[in-house]
Amino acid sequence: MYLYWVRSANRTRSLLIMQLAWLTDIHLNFVGRTEVNSLCDDIRTSGAAAVLITGDIASALYLTRYLDNFASSLQMPVYFVLGNHDYYGSSIREINDAVGKLISEMPQLIWLSACLACIPITDNTCLVGHEGLADGRLGDPEGSEVMINDYYQITELMQPSKRARLEVQHQLGDDAAAHLRSQLKQAIDASYRKILVALHVPPFPEACWHMGEKSTDEFLPHFGCQATGEVLREFALTYSLADFTVYCGHTHSSGVAEILPNLRVFTGRAKYGRPQIERLFTVE
Ligand SMILES: [Fe+2]
Ligand SMILES: [Fe+2]
């Protein structure tokens, strides 16, 4: 973290600037120790003062072990949300409990879904976030015949009918939106002008890139979260002087979606088997 002093005519104030390394969909359970060590080396030598991970870190069986090793190796704050793969082989409830226990023992791991308030990054910028898993509302959920692994691998999403599964997804989306709303309100009340938002799943159809193209209505129910997008749009329209930048992943295809003049979404590329820094950026 770098501290700069800016002098004006009558007063001195601190202005904190830092480099943040954004990673997404690193799927560490698909690679060996060499690749993980190489990723940690890249982060350490990048000049980053902290890491932001937008989900799909590993899978349920390995998640807490990888998070523990990763944070211990880096020795810097690791802000993160989980992704759908992090629950594979278990349930959302069990993994959330396990991650909650881990973060209570490792203060450098900051799970944004467990943060009631926004996280200050610099004087002007704060960070909020949530998994915001696909809520089955975008595109054509009734007509889509797509069955992704989530519906066989995550206990809560293993439902006897599409209708029952969509009800669970709607609730997950609503819970994510409520969390995001609370954090964003707190960020606005605290007068932050720049708000970084970490989500796993893209919150708008325009940000659901799939193999270099915009997702079809067939895939959108599984690739996006409408509920979080609605909250973001509402805040960006209501608080036009604040600037909102979303970082997300999930679709493994990169793109930038300009939703409003003060709201944009970066979706990460994230190749399987090649975990790397998605982007290194300066936060002011
Ligand atoms: Fe992924
Ligand atoms: Fe994902």
Side-chain angles (χ1 to χ4, degrees):
M1 214 175 275
Y2 311 101
L3 186 64
Y4 294 82
W5 293 93
V6 179
R7 293 185 182 280
S8 63
N10 300 315
R11 65 192 179 97
T12 300
R13 68 183 177 91
S14 64
L15 174 64
L16 207 57
I17 299 176
M18 70 175 283
Q19 296 272 93
L20 193 59
W22 169 40
L23 288 67
T24 194
D25 296 78
I26 49 180
H27 294 278
L28 295 180
N29 53 307
F30 292 165
V31 298
R33 184 178 293 274
T34 303
E35 287 84 359
V36 177
N37 288 342
S38 172
L39 175 62
C40 289
D41 285 344
D42 287 347
I43 294 167
R44 274 191 292 267
T45 57
S46 71
V51 172
L52 171 64
I53 313 177
T54 51
D56 280 2
I57 296 162
S59 62
L61 184 61
Y62 305 99
L63 177 65
T64 52
R65 194 189 322 161
Y66 273 116
L67 269 173
D68 186 335
N69 290 344
F70 199 63
S72 298
S73 171
L74 286 175
Q75 289 295 310
M76 64 177 70
V78 176
Y79 307 103
F80 71 98
V81 298
L82 302 176
N84 51 318
H85 277 250
D86 296 309
Y87 299 109
Y88 275 19
S90 184
S91 68
I92 294 172
R93 183 182 58 79
E94 282 186 58
I95 293 304
N96 284 353
D97 285 350
V99 174
K101 182 170 182 298
L102 177 66
I103 62 167
S104 71
E105 298 161 354
M106 298 193 71
Q108 69 267 47
L109 275 173
I110 300 109
W111 185 21
L112 297 172
S113 305
C115 299
L116 297 179
C118 65
I119 304 295
I121 301 293
T122 67
D123 286 354
N124 296 318
T125 303
C126 72
L127 174 64
V128 302
H130 195 277
E131 285 69 41
L133 299 180
D135 66 353
R137 288 178 167 123
L138 295 176
D140 180 16
E142 299 300 332
S144 174
E145 298 291 333
V146 172
M147 286 289 289
I148 59 173
N149 283 335
D150 297 29
Y151 311 145
Y152 305 103
Q153 292 274 352
I154 303 173
T155 302
E156 287 85 346
L157 298 181
M158 296 179 198
Q159 294 293 330
S161 68
K162 183 195 284 187
R163 174 49 39 201
R165 189 239 303 154
L166 283 172
E167 282 181 18
V168 174
Q169 289 183 274
H170 292 174
Q171 188 59 53
L172 290 173
D174 292 345
D175 291 347
H179 179 85
L180 200 55
R181 176 181 296 282
S182 172
Q183 284 184 320
L184 289 173
K185 177 73 167 57
Q186 204 266 338
I188 294 293
D189 289 348
S191 300
Y192 283 104
R193 300 293 292 271
K194 295 193 175 208
I195 301 172
L196 309 180
V197 182
L199 299 169
H200 179 57
V201 166
F204 301 100
E206 299 92 325
C208 292
W209 305 96
H210 185 207
M211 300 170 75
E213 307 284 341
K214 298 282 178 65
S215 290
T216 62
D217 282 353
E218 177 88 353
F219 280 92
L220 277 175
H222 320 280
F223 281 176
C225 183
Q226 179 174 289
T228 51
E230 286 175 350
V231 171
L232 285 163
R233 189 186 297 275
E234 176 193 322
F235 270 79
L237 287 170
T238 305
Y239 303 101
S240 58
L241 293 181
D243 188 79
F244 302 81
T245 303
V246 180
Y247 296 92
C248 61
H250 186 54
T251 60
H252 290 252
S253 187
S254 65
V256 184
E258 299 285 348
I259 306 299
L260 293 167
N262 62 334
L263 170 60
R264 70 209 58 83
V265 182
F266 289 86
T267 306
R269 181 179 58 155
K271 285 195 170 179
Y272 286 106
R274 287 181 56 193
Q276 59 188 14
I277 298 172
E278 191 71 33
R279 189 165 175 234
L280 185 69
F281 57 94
T282 302
V283 184
E284 298 183 355

